[in-house]
Amino acid sequence: MARTQGSHAGITGPRIREAALKLFAERGFAAVSMRQIASAVGVQAGALYNYTPDKQALLFSLMKGHMDELLATVAATPQTGSAQQRLQDFVRLHITFHLDRPDEVFIAYMELRNLDPENFDVIEGLRSQYENHLESILQAGEAEGDFTIPDTKLATLAVIAMLTGVTTWYRPGGRLSADEVTQVYWDMVRKAVGVRG
Amino acid sequence: MARTQGSHAGITGPRIREAALKLFAERGFAAVSMRQIASAVGVQAGALYNYTPDKQALLFSLMKGHMDELLATVAATPQTGSAQQRLQDFVRLHITFHLDRPDEVFIAYMELRNLDPENFDVIEGLRSQYENHLESILQAGEAEGDFTIPDTKLATLAVIAMLTGVTTWYRPGGRLSADEVTQVYWDMVRKAVGVRG
DNA sequence: GTCTATAAAAGGATAGAC
DNA sequence: GTCTATCCTTTTATAGAC
């Protein structure tokens, strides 16, 4: 006999995270209630607290998971070859990773304000690590004479801002494919940092 | 005899806008209550409704005012001279305007989700006008052979994202002055769009 | 593991006195 | 133009039944 309530074989946790991710991205953390998340999952609000101590922890978990995955992806990229090659790999990785996860990216950039101070510090630390990875590539290229960059710190921030901006307008099925977008952006990044040749 | 309550010579309206602007930028529209705004101004919540029909109208008014001012500033810039000159003027204007108004910029980019559909359309229209202004400069430069741009639409979005990113990290009194930042960014924009010479 | 019920607080907005 | 008081809704989170 079918059960209309009760345990659901342990899949509720992931479904809560998915629903929260989607709703937070669409409407913003502060504008989404625990009841709305529960409703999207198909449970009552009280059931959510079997999976998260509170709403804040749910937000932090989503953001931390996203940053961890981003850094793990970067770490898994080969760091051999010329600075130009590594920069091109970074551009491709950044665009691909971010276009594949529009909701996570949106939350990671928009909901920093809604993190508790301790949680904010954790996420900011991870973000710094990511920026430092790009900056080390730019510094290496500058030192080797492959790039011409007046200020590597500013170039780092400018490149990341430029690339991340893709997520604000890109839609699958639009005028350009993700690969074509990557080509165009690589062309601009390459010129902006003065890649030789 | 000093009055501890009552009319305040018509300055409450601007003060409400200032307080709302600051609080919305710091904590986000949805996370700020009318009571908090009233408290920052030094009035009771009910008094706010002498100045705005509701919270949504207050947000829209702030965003619309910001976009109107941005477009008016662009319109007041001379549109003569070479495409390169106009692009350089645009870069300087964009950075200066945005660094002078960090709270307005933050709201204009972060709170689009919290606008009612009709209000959203208005703000989006104004944003499109601004983007079109830059794109027309890039198209002119490309047509005249001054720039080398594979895709002017993407270049427009990339340049605006890059420049607006400055507001996320720039702080007065930091390592670089606003003028120095502008110099560095102009260098990167110039290269990215392949300015001749 | 989920439900129902509820506590306790905070939210937007309005009415009427001054 | 502002205050006090209040309405009504919604919120997060918890308690205890099943």
Side-chain angles (χ1 to χ4, degrees):
Chain A
M1 177 177 171
R3 296 162 73 182
T4 56
Q5 69 182 57
S7 168
H8 289 287
I11 61 165
T12 302
R15 294 190 61 214
I16 289 171
R17 293 174 58 87
E18 288 163 22
L21 177 70
K22 184 159 175 286
L23 288 169
F24 289 166
E26 278 175 7
R27 309 177 199 175
F29 174 75
V32 174
S33 71
M34 295 297 266
R35 280 179 179 80
Q36 289 172 324
I37 298 170
S39 173
V41 175
V43 297
Q44 293 299 314
L48 301 182
Y49 293 89
N50 290 318
Y51 300 92
T52 182
D54 52 33
K55 195 184 172 191
Q56 167 72 206
L58 183 53
L59 174 63
F60 175 67
S61 170
L62 291 171
M63 293 178 71
K64 173 97 165 43
H66 175 66
M67 293 306 298
D68 284 345
E69 194 180 7
L70 176 60
L71 287 170
T73 304
V74 165
T77 304
Q79 295 308 316
T80 56
S82 66
Q84 174 178 346
Q85 183 61 54
R86 279 182 290 153
L87 180 58
Q88 186 169 6
D89 288 345
F90 179 89
V91 168
R92 184 181 300 115
L93 179 153
H94 185 98
I95 292 179
T96 302
F97 190 91
H98 283 65
L99 288 188
D100 283 348
R101 298 162 182 80
D103 290 343
E104 284 91 339
V105 169
F106 208 64
I107 289 174
Y109 280 83
M110 303 285 268
E111 303 298 351
L112 288 167
R113 287 179 302 191
N114 288 305
L115 289 173
D116 286 344
E118 317 88 72
N119 290 341
F120 178 85
D121 289 344
V122 173
I123 301 298
E124 268 302 295
L126 297 174
R127 182 188 307 280
S128 283
Q129 281 186 46
Y130 185 67
E131 290 177 3
N132 288 343
H133 178 79
L134 172 57
E135 188 173 4
S136 71
I137 295 175
L138 297 183
Q139 285 171 337
E142 167 74 13
E144 295 162 13
D146 291 345
F147 303 162
T148 302
I149 305 176
D151 191 306
T152 52
K153 183 65 186 167
L154 261 61
T156 299
L157 298 169
V159 167
I160 289 179
M162 183 198 289
L163 297 181
T164 304
V166 174
T167 59
T168 64
W169 55 262
Y170 178 84
R171 296 293 175 273
R175 178 167 65 90
L176 300 174
S177 70
D179 273 354
E180 289 168 330
V181 170
T182 301
Q183 294 274 347
V184 172
Y185 272 75
W186 165 241
D187 178 72
M188 288 189 282
V189 168
R190 182 176 60 77
K191 289 175 178 167
V193 302
V195 168
R196 195 176 48 178
Chain B
M1 177 177 170
R3 297 163 72 182
T4 56
Q5 70 180 56
S7 168
H8 289 286
I11 61 166
T12 302
R15 293 190 62 213
I16 289 171
R17 292 173 60 86
E18 288 163 22
L21 177 69
K22 185 159 174 285
L23 288 169
F24 289 166
E26 277 175 7
R27 310 178 199 175
F29 173 76
V32 174
S33 71
M34 295 297 269
R35 283 176 177 81
Q36 289 172 325
I37 298 170
S39 173
V41 174
V43 297
Q44 293 298 315
L48 300 182
Y49 293 89
N50 290 318
Y51 299 93
T52 182
D54 54 31
K55 196 184 172 191
Q56 167 72 206
L58 183 53
L59 174 64
F60 175 66
S61 171
L62 291 171
M63 293 179 69
K64 173 98 164 42
H66 174 66
M67 293 305 298
D68 283 345
E69 194 180 7
L70 175 61
L71 287 171
T73 304
V74 165
T77 304
Q79 295 309 316
T80 55
S82 66
Q84 175 178 345
Q85 183 62 53
R86 278 183 289 153
L87 179 58
Q88 188 169 3
D89 289 344
F90 179 89
V91 169
R92 185 181 299 115
L93 178 154
H94 185 98
I95 292 180
T96 301
F97 189 91
H98 282 64
L99 287 188
D100 284 347
R101 298 162 183 79
D103 289 343
E104 283 91 338
V105 170
F106 209 63
I107 290 174
Y109 279 84
M110 303 285 267
E111 303 298 353
L112 288 167
R113 285 179 303 191
N114 288 305
L115 289 173
D116 286 345
E118 317 87 72
N119 290 341
F120 178 86
D121 289 344
V122 172
I123 301 297
E124 269 301 296
L126 297 174
R127 182 187 308 279
S128 282
Q129 281 186 46
Y130 185 67
E131 290 176 1
N132 288 342
H133 178 80
L134 171 58
E135 189 173 5
S136 71
I137 295 175
L138 297 182
Q139 285 170 336
E142 168 75 13
E144 296 162 13
D146 291 344
F147 303 162
T148 304
I149 305 175
D151 191 306
T152 53
K153 182 65 186 166
L154 262 60
T156 299
L157 298 169
V159 167
I160 288 179
M162 184 198 289
L163 297 180
T164 304
V166 174
T167 59
T168 65
W169 55 263
Y170 178 84
R171 296 294 175 271
R175 178 167 66 88
L176 300 174
S177 70
D179 273 355
E180 289 168 330
V181 170
T182 301
Q183 294 276 345
V184 172
Y185 272 75
W186 165 241
D187 178 72
M188 287 189 282
V189 168
R190 182 177 59 79
K191 290 174 178 168
V193 301
V195 168
R196 194 175 48 178

